[in-house]
Amino acid sequence: MSALPRCSSCFPRSASTRHGIILSRSLATEASAGPSTTPAQPTPAPSKAKIYETIRTAVILNRAPFLTRIPSRFERAFHAYQQRIQRALHNPFPYEFYFKQGSLLETKFQAEERRRERMMLGAPFGLAEAQTNAGTKAQSARESAVEALDREEEEIIPRISKADESNDVRSLDRKGERNLYLLLQKNSDDKQVWRFPEGQLQKGEVLHEAAERNLFAECGAGMDTWVVSRNPVGLYRHSSTGTPSPSHLFFYKAHIMAGQVRPNGTNVLDYAWLTKEEMEERLDKEYWVAVRDMLSDF
Amino acid sequence: MSAAPAVGRAAAPARHAFSLRPSRPPPKIRKPLKRGDKGLPIPRCKILIRDTHPSRMMDHYFNTLQDDLMYMTYVHESGPRKPPRQIRLKFDPEDPYTKNRANMPVGGSHVGREPAPVSSWDNVVRLERVQIHTMVKEAVSNRTNLLGPIMMLRAISGETEGGGGWRTSEGVQVVRGVKAIGGWLRPGVPIGAKVDLKGPKMYDFISTLTEFVLPRLREFSGFVMPASSQQNFTPSSVSGVVSLGLPPEAMGLFPQIEVNLDAYPATTGMHIHFITNAEGQGAQNKARALLSGCQVPFVRK
């Protein structure tokens, strides 16, 4: 299963260096190769097995979101309002159990709590009491010392990657908060069409095996993928001209964990990682109507 | 891809011009609120606290996991099911002589043999609640020994009784003995504590567990699953509940406890019950698949 989306509060600090050399295989990240890479990996050789003419399998290869969604303006206002209610009306907190009196931790907690109160509820709340005696002065000095200790520089990686800026549709880095799907550009009847990776079923093979085999045959073995189920997630029936019986195309859902597509350059001309809206303009009408309900809107 | 991929830490969204805090002073109070016995004002409407922040794990479930689980657990059936076999009851229900006897079907209970309901879009396995439970043996002799575990559960869960104005929020509850166990336990004696988590707090707990606690546990490769040869109609495997146990060392790895571990007199382990909506044969496996998708590791022995 794919990695969870990340937000700014839960990011491993050393990730940029770590992912530079691809030690972690948990995310679909690798330096992208152009579409015309040499087929260095061993691709399954075309076998002489008997194939069924009318049954085909296709794989909807998904890159799950790896960034958290930006909440809408309404959501942010709603959450802020609920946080203010919560701060005003929460059940009493038993300080005396959790903190020893006069401890460093208690001081830190109180300072943080005052800052949060001030931020949430506005001016008269969260202000330090009038500093009349030496005790409170010492207290505030201690608080500022504690705060200085905790202040750390945090490096922030932008949500918008280089792939977004250059609109590189081959990159897996683009649109981190959306579901992306793989489309391949192929030659079909002297025409270039965009399709999911697909292929035919061989005799003695079950559907989900055929789906996996065809995916590797078209996209190369440089990917770490996982086909979600043995059941197809959709069916597209169409009758092409000249054939008596309609052709059946079964769709399977898969996730990409690591690696990148390396098309063999003969059948597949190009590839793209696209969101649902971007796919509509590349697919022809009939095919789009057949596949659109299998894709995630978000 | 680029040398510094955008995996992970994302910058906060650009700050907008509007403020989430009202900048102007609140309107004048024309009619003061009524006050209760403690002198506190009573609001004119019932105030309930709802979601205070977006939940990352919940988004992950609804964006990715739910679809995958539906595809993984879907069982195709052609046509409607046959009606269940009518099994004769042990005693004739019309017979006044056996009227008040427990009247089971012949051959024993068929609870574990119920098939799973027909797969559909609305019964995809989902978490209903998570229950955290701890038993403290020392509480039998001295009930103050229960205070530490109660505060620990409160720190982990953030639940309080009636918290957020919700009548259903029960907070940390004390578990009492039910039966007398010779020379040790009497009914009504406090023996443990438990807390129920639902909604975003439940998903936040799971993400804390899988990101802070389990990766830092020593010599832990995953929760051991029962052997695949185990019968699939035992009460536990058809109930859709997955129960895991954490040792006392794991408690100190929760960030909420780690911050002041000294405050807790003695640490105890805990049981976590993940209660899902799955039922019928294979329910526990579905629940495990769901947890596995939340990055809880499972291993075979």
Side-chain angles (χ1 to χ4, degrees), chain A residues 9-23:
Chain A
S9 61
C10 42
F11 172 67
R13 181 88 30 102
S14 62
S16 58
T17 54
R18 197 157 54 89
H19 284 283
I21 50 171
I22 321 290
L23 284 180

Side-chain angles (χ1 to χ4, degrees), chain B residues 32 53 69 121 163 200 232 246-247 260:
Chain B
H53 57 277
L69 287 165
W121 59 272
N232 62 353
L246 284 185
N260 60 344

Side-chain angles (χ1 to χ4, degrees), chain A residues 30-37 168-172 181-186 194-195 197 218-219 259-264 268-274 282:
Chain A
E30 202 195 318
S32 79
S36 58
T37 35
D168 176 14
V169 290
R170 291 188 200 124
S171 171
L172 279 164
Y181 299 97
L182 174 69
L183 279 192
L184 303 177
Q185 195 182 27
K186 296 177 199 172
W194 287 92
R195 285 282 181 271
E218 290 203 321
C219 305
Q260 179 59 289
V261 181
R262 304 251 167 84
N264 50 19
V268 180
L269 306 172
D270 197 2
Y271 66 93
W273 291 98
L274 303 169
R282 294 185 196 230

